Amino acid sequence: MTRPTAPRPYAAGATLVTGVLAAQEAGVAPATIRKWVQLGNLSAAGRQGRTHLYRLEDVFAAERATRRR
């Protein structure tokens, strides 16, 4: 019998980018990325020093969620 494994915070091989790069990929201002985090539409997948890193998949999902409104 195998034990269930804990979910990983992000999939292996996922592309992590800074907020500035995430904003460029989504076509929005860096302040918009920070606003999505503040509103709970996006969360950081990791950190590099003081810089938050985001999964591109999560950034695009947050963009789709906000554009539907």
Side-chain angles (χ1 to χ4, degrees):
M1 189 160 141
T2 60
R3 289 188 351 189
T5 58
R8 293 182 179 173
Y10 57 90
T15 303
L16 298 178
V17 296
T18 64
V20 172
L21 290 175
Q24 288 175 351
E25 289 293 322
V28 298
T32 302
I33 298 296
R34 293 190 297 272
K35 187 58 135 179
W36 289 347
V37 170
Q38 183 181 26
L39 294 173
N41 295 330
L42 179 63
S43 61
R47 291 182 74 154
Q48 184 176 11
R50 293 176 56 186
T51 305
H52 289 104
L53 300 174
Y54 304 96
R55 291 178 54 211
L56 280 178
E57 295 85 2
D58 294 342
V59 172
F60 295 138
E63 177 190 21
R64 284 190 302 273
T66 57
R67 293 199 189 273
R68 277 188 226 147
R69 294 180 193 167

